[in-house]
Amino acid sequence: INYNKDVSLLYKQKNYTNGLVLTQSLGINYNHKQIDLGFNGSVAYNTFKYSLQSNLNSEYYIQTYSPEFNYTFFKYLIASTDLDYTINSGMSAGYNQHIAYWNASLALQIFKKRDGEIKLSVYDILNQNKSLTRSTGDNYIQDTRTNVLRRYLMLSFTYNIRKGSQQNSGMPIPKQFQRGM
């Protein structure tokens, strides 16, 4: 829950802006032998009300659903895929869009302790990546569409200097942090 109240002068009168954002998220993960499955979902309700300009009052929703799947072959080869599906509603015309951002990768773990990784990744397989944002101020609402990097391939090498000590501690890195590493 996020509540914000601002005051500004508009035509020499006090203008009050009340903003409320309610967000709820839920995630579930399942790990068994070579398979890791995960699903996360979130819904954000946003409402902004203006005391002097009621025509700017707005309500909109942003929903995001994110399934993810990882499968380990031959102990050292990991196939992964994830999808972020975003639904925007209640925004200006042309901004109420559904956006699917699908990624996949194939990684080979190397070295004795599997602390090295060579990975080939494909980002935005469906070539639909978009950046749609809404900004609100004292007397305005602005919807913005920004150009972003679309579909691309990346070959990477990662060496994890902590992996050996992490395995000994028995504390695995949570899945949501592993994706960004």
Side-chain angles (χ1 to χ4, degrees):
I1 300 173
N2 182 353
Y3 176 75
N4 187 25
K5 183 172 187 169
D6 289 326
V7 63
S8 62
L9 286 177
L10 182 64
Y11 308 116
K12 297 182 181 182
Q13 293 181 324
K14 285 186 180 180
N15 181 36
Y16 293 97
T17 306
N18 295 299
L20 177 65
V21 179
L22 301 173
T23 304
Q24 181 64 54
S25 300
L26 177 66
I28 186 167
N29 293 313
Y30 173 76
N31 304 355
H32 182 70
K33 297 182 183 180
Q34 310 103 296
I35 297 174
D36 293 326
L37 296 170
F39 180 80
N40 294 301
S42 70
V43 176
Y45 167 73
N46 303 266
T47 181
F48 294 90
K49 302 211 182 293
Y50 298 86
S51 62
L52 294 179
Q53 296 173 298
S54 60
N55 61 318
L56 292 178
N57 292 353
S58 68
E59 292 183 347
Y60 65 97
Y61 291 89
I62 300 173
Q63 303 171 58
T64 304
Y65 303 101
S66 303
E68 136 178 11
F69 175 77
N70 300 301
Y71 186 78
T72 305
F73 300 89
F74 313 114
K75 292 186 181 181
Y76 300 103
L77 190 61
I78 302 169
S80 300
T81 187
D82 61 82
L83 175 74
D84 289 334
Y85 189 73
T86 303
I87 302 168
N88 296 302
S89 57
M91 296 175 129
S92 302
Y95 290 87
N96 292 319
Q97 297 185 9
H98 298 206
I99 302 166
Y101 185 70
W102 180 27
N103 307 310
S105 67
L106 189 60
L108 177 64
Q109 294 179 331
I110 57 175
F111 303 131
K112 188 175 181 178
K113 293 183 181 179
R114 300 191 315 182
D115 46 8
E117 181 179 83
I118 299 170
K119 185 191 302 189
L120 179 62
S121 304
V122 181
Y123 294 91
D124 192 18
I125 293 170
L126 302 174
N127 206 27
Q128 293 184 2
N129 193 12
K130 297 176 187 169
S131 174
L132 303 176
T133 58
R134 173 166 276 195
S135 303
T136 58
D138 294 337
N139 58 1
Y140 72 92
I141 295 174
Q142 177 179 329
D143 289 331
T144 306
R145 180 176 306 140
T146 308
N147 290 332
V148 293
L149 187 60
R150 303 286 292 257
R151 182 186 310 138
Y152 66 98
L153 293 169
M154 183 167 64
L155 180 63
S156 62
F157 170 75
T158 305
Y159 182 76
N160 188 343
I161 58 176
R162 295 186 189 195
K163 188 158 187 156
S165 63
Q166 173 224 335
Q167 288 175 336
N168 293 338
S169 71
M171 301 277 296
I173 298 172
K175 204 64 158 164
Q176 65 269 26
F177 297 121
Q178 287 181 10
R179 184 192 285 181
M181 296 178 73

